[in-house]
Each structure stands twice: as C-alpha cells, then as structure tokens.
Amino acid sequence: KRHRLREAKLWVNPPEYYDHPRGFLTYKPYIPDHLVKFFQNYSQPPRALTVNDTLILQQHFELVNIQVVQLRAAVQLSVALGRVLVLPTLFCGLDRWWAPHAGRTPGATHLRLPFACPFDHVMDVVKWLNPAGFEFHFRESSFLDNQRTSSTVRMSRGVVHLCGEKNYFPPESVAVGAGGRVECPEFKEEKSGIAALQIPIHQRDAKFQTQRVAGLKVLDIQNMGYGDIVQWENGEDKQELENWFEKSGSTWCCVIPPTGERFGHIHYDMFPDYEGRTDKHGFQRTGSFKVNLGP
C-alpha cells in the first residue's frame, strides 16, 4: 500500500529520500507495437478466462516478460553503477483480481488495455525492499515527476547509450549494424552529458565507461539491454543476485482452475528468456516460456 501511495505521489517521505549521493538510473522499456495493438483490439469474453484461453494468456505474459527481462538488466546495471534505480512504468495486458475474471476486474468496464499497472501487480514489493547479500535501492516510477524531488536532481541529467551484440537487446528494438552489432552513436568528445557503454559490461568497468557523466544526478539509459548484461567480479555476487531475482516476482490472478485443480494463478518468472530452465516451483521448461498454474 505504501508503494502504491508513493506511485500516486501521495506518500510523504523524509527529505533525504528525494536525493541520493550516488545518483539515479532511469529508462523506458521497449514494448513491441504488435503486443500493444493486440490488447487495444481485445474483445473481452462474457465469462472468466480458463487455461484454454491460451492466446490471450500467452500475449499477456509475452507483453510483461519482455519488460521483466529489461528490468533484470536495469537492476544489474544499477548495482554495477551503484545508482538508485527509478522503476519504469510497467504495462499489463490483463488486470489482476483475486478471483477468476475475463481480463478486467468486474466493474472496471472502462479500463483500456493494455494499461499502466501497479508495480506490485508484477513484482513482490516486499522482496524488492529487502534484497539479500547485495546493495540495491530503488524509487517508484513517478519519482522524477514528484514536486518533492528537487529541480536540482531532476535537471541534472545525462544520457547513456548502450552498444554491443544484438542478442543483448530486446528483439527488433534497435537498429543493428554490420556484424550483428548495435553501434554507439557518434558524438564529439567534448560534448558533456552523454556517454556510451558497451554491453555485456564487466562490473569493474561500468563506472569507468560512464565517468564522463558520473557527476550528474540522473542517468537516462536510452536503449535498455535485455537479460544478463553485467559480468560480475565473482560467482557469489552473481548467485546472490540470481537467488533474489528468483523470489522477486509476484503472480497474476486468475483463471478458472481446471476440474480437480486448486490453483488458478500464474507466477511471473524473472528468467522467461532462459530456455530449458527449471523455475522456483520445479516446473521444467523444454522450450521458451509457457504458462503454468500455481502453486
């Protein structure tokens, strides 16, 4: 509830909340047009969804998952740079309610899909507030639009362009040059407020590659990477972060459970891009992400 109030700019925090000595990191996730159009044209059935409504469920999770994989990259980059991550606005294809429904909470007939959904629709905010084994801080998506955040913070902004092999970016999100690489834009060395960062990036090199914008309060990532874009100093750092990622997702609710089944909810997975992965509930994927109910 506190996070919802923060998103709505109704929660008053101590003054120090609205600044941070290490600065902030922000980005806007890439979302494919065809997923947006699918939900804009979605004709809601006159009944609650079931597991047989595979197309609508798959489209919803495809929409959320491409944002989740970028969010995983953003968390890695914020940890490597030592900056506070300003969460992006997430978009969901389906509403969430604590009972089976047809895509919108009953009574919310005018809700336009897809919609800017609360962060806790997709992520477990309590887990995000308590990362174990590493230092990570975040702020709500409306943080930089909040009048309590000083103009000193909001106006001190730099731009960072990510470059590298195309598989480190969301599919079809950026122009790919010769050799299958996303090239950095050309800019004059003396031009301030702009930097380029090659991914994947080693943890110890992230701050060095962005040193020309290190003094600015807010860094805007122009084209967020996709997946595991940081190479860690040691295996323990990587494992601690992955363990936290594993537990940080929430659930979508709900379809009508099949006969004899208890569960109608579906868990979000922070690793939907990993093929053949066994998730936290022991579901073994033989291919790409598939919808599984419960537990």
Side-chain angles (χ1 to χ4, degrees):
K1 290 181 181 178
R2 181 171 58 185
H3 188 78
R4 291 273 188 107
L5 290 170
R6 281 174 170 162
E7 287 181 324
K9 295 179 280 190
L10 296 174
W11 187 270
V12 180
N13 298 280
E16 58 269 21
Y17 179 86
Y18 301 100
D19 199 351
H20 195 280
R22 297 183 184 177
F24 302 91
L25 188 74
T26 185
Y27 75 102
K28 182 179 179 180
Y30 165 77
I31 301 175
D33 288 341
H34 74 273
L35 292 174
V36 174
K37 291 177 181 177
F38 177 91
F39 286 100
Q40 288 174 339
N41 298 323
Y42 173 57
S43 179
Q44 182 169 305
R47 54 162 179 80
L49 299 174
T50 73
V51 289
N52 294 321
D53 293 301
T54 53
L55 177 60
I56 182 63
L57 293 174
Q58 284 289 160
Q59 292 293 298
H60 167 73
F61 277 88
E62 185 176 341
L63 170 66
V64 173
N65 285 346
I66 195 168
Q67 297 172 82
V68 164
V69 180
Q70 292 172 79
L71 180 60
R72 199 174 82 229
V75 171
Q76 292 182 5
L77 197 54
S78 71
V79 172
L81 292 174
R83 287 180 173 260
V84 177
L85 177 64
V86 178
L87 297 175
T89 298
L90 298 180
F91 284 84
C92 295
L94 299 174
D95 202 356
R96 186 173 81 164
W97 194 50
W98 298 113
H101 60 91
R104 296 175 176 88
T105 297
T109 55
H110 298 293
L111 177 66
R112 293 185 177 182
L113 303 179
F115 72 106
C117 50
F119 189 70
D120 61 83
H121 271 209
V122 179
M123 294 294 150
D124 185 333
V125 175
V126 174
K127 295 290 195 308
W128 279 69
L129 290 169
N130 297 282
F134 60 96
E135 186 176 359
F136 170 67
H137 303 281
F138 69 93
R139 296 291 187 268
E140 63 279 4
S141 58
S142 60
F143 177 77
L144 293 174
D145 297 322
N146 194 323
Q147 63 180 0
R148 299 182 185 90
T149 303
S150 72
S151 58
T152 303
V153 171
R154 287 185 279 121
M155 301 301 291
S156 177
R157 305 181 80 135
V159 171
V160 177
H161 294 271
L162 303 188
C163 334
E165 297 177 13
K166 66 177 182 179
N167 55 307
Y168 287 102
F169 295 88
E172 303 178 1
S173 65
V174 287
V176 179
R181 292 183 57 82
V182 176
E183 302 297 340
C184 288
E186 295 184 4
F187 55 88
K188 295 181 179 179
E189 284 298 320
E190 64 271 16
K191 186 176 182 179
S192 61
I194 186 170
L197 194 154
Q198 296 281 343
I199 58 173
I201 182 75
H202 197 282
Q203 181 182 7
R204 66 172 176 264
D205 297 330
K207 291 181 180 180
F208 174 77
Q209 287 197 23
T210 57
Q211 62 182 343
R212 59 186 290 119
V213 291
L216 299 172
K217 283 290 186 180
V218 181
L219 296 187
D220 293 313
I221 305 298
Q222 293 297 289
N223 51 337
M224 181 51 69
Y226 190 72
D228 301 320
I229 65 172
V230 173
Q231 299 169 339
W232 302 101
E233 289 279 0
N234 59 66
E236 289 184 3
D237 292 341
K238 180 176 183 292
Q239 192 61 53
E240 286 173 349
L241 194 56
E242 288 184 356
N243 290 343
W244 176 77
F245 279 141
E246 187 77 71
K247 302 172 184 176
S248 64
S250 187
T251 60
W252 177 82
C253 190
C254 290
V255 298
I256 298 174
T259 303
E261 295 290 334
R262 295 171 51 200
F263 305 110
H265 61 268
I266 303 165
H267 284 266
Y268 290 107
D269 186 354
M270 288 295 288
F271 300 93
D273 52 324
Y274 279 31
E275 294 191 6
R277 179 176 172 273
T278 301
D279 68 15
K280 62 184 177 182
H281 298 296
F283 289 125
Q284 175 71 49
R285 290 207 305 267
T286 55
S288 57
F289 180 85
K290 289 184 175 61
V291 170
N292 290 301
L293 296 182

